[in-house]
């Protein structure tokens, strides 16, 4: 499991766990009471629910997917608390019913530090779409 020593480590750790399709590593990125809102607006709370939301898709439609994440910013709120934003590009593979394609999202995460390790306390993932048409948009 990748230990996040700074908030800036979160996008890379998230990417590594996703790309390895390692749900134990993925769950290890989160605080035990963390909340997660996926790109479809599905809200879950707690590591078990976060993993339960992701495990089936990593066994099926996203089993050959990859993520590429890019940190946008970090805002330190207080000692041991930070908010980050990062771009995430999902490349779905042949296992997806729609075939290979890419989706860009913008992720906002709140991180907290305990025992010098940062964990995600809350995360929200927003798909980038054209507000007039609803069509997905890839950022340049």
């Amino acid at each position: 499991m990748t230990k996040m020593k700074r908030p800036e480590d979160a996008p890379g750790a998230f990417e590594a766990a996703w790309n390895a399709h390692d749900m134990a590593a993925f769950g290890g990125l989160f605080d035990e009471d963390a909340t997660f809102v996926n790109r479809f607006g599905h809200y879950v709370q707690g590591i078990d629910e976060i993993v339960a939301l992701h495990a089936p898709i990593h066994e099926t439609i996203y089993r050959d997917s990859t993520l590429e994440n890019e940190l946008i910013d970090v805002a330190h709120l207080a000692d041991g608390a930070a908010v980050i934003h990062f771009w995430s590009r999902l490349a779905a593979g042949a296992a997806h019913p729609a075939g290979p394609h890419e989706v860009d999202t913008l992720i906002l995460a709140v991180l907290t530090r305990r025992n010098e390790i940062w964990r995600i306390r809350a995360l929200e993932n927003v798909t980038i779409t054209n507000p007039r048409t609803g069509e997905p948009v890839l950022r340049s």
Side-chain angles (χ1 to χ4, degrees):
M1 173 174 67
T2 303
K3 295 205 185 295
M4 297 183 291
K5 301 280 188 188
R6 322 169 294 149
E8 294 86 349
D9 296 336
F14 191 97
E15 177 182 306
W18 183 283
N19 291 345
H21 306 284
D22 182 341
M23 293 298 97
F26 190 74
L29 301 175
F30 295 87
D31 180 83
E32 62 187 45
D33 295 319
T35 58
F36 192 104
V37 179
N38 74 4
R39 66 190 187 100
F40 303 106
H42 188 141
Y43 170 91
V44 294
Q45 184 172 17
I47 293 172
D48 290 344
E49 286 191 33
I50 292 168
V51 170
L53 178 66
H54 288 87
I57 61 175
H58 279 271
E59 293 169 359
T60 57
I61 64 171
Y62 288 148
R63 70 178 178 265
D64 57 354
S65 69
T66 57
L67 279 186
E68 248 181 70
N69 293 335
E70 179 185 338
L71 182 68
I72 299 169
D73 62 21
V74 177
H76 290 272
L77 304 176
D79 186 39
V83 173
I84 66 169
H85 292 91
F86 60 98
W87 295 115
S88 186
R89 177 165 286 166
L90 170 70
H96 196 282
H101 65 281
E102 294 181 331
V103 176
D104 279 351
T105 64
L106 176 60
I107 295 177
L108 177 148
V110 176
L111 290 94
T112 57
R113 184 182 64 222
R114 188 173 4 164
N115 300 326
E116 301 309 311
I117 301 298
W118 289 84
R119 288 199 169 73
I120 300 167
R121 181 68 174 87
L123 185 143
E124 184 168 356
N125 194 6
V126 178
T127 303
I128 312 293
T129 61
N130 179 325
R132 292 187 177 102
T133 66
E135 292 294 315
V137 175
L138 289 177
R139 64 185 187 86
S140 14

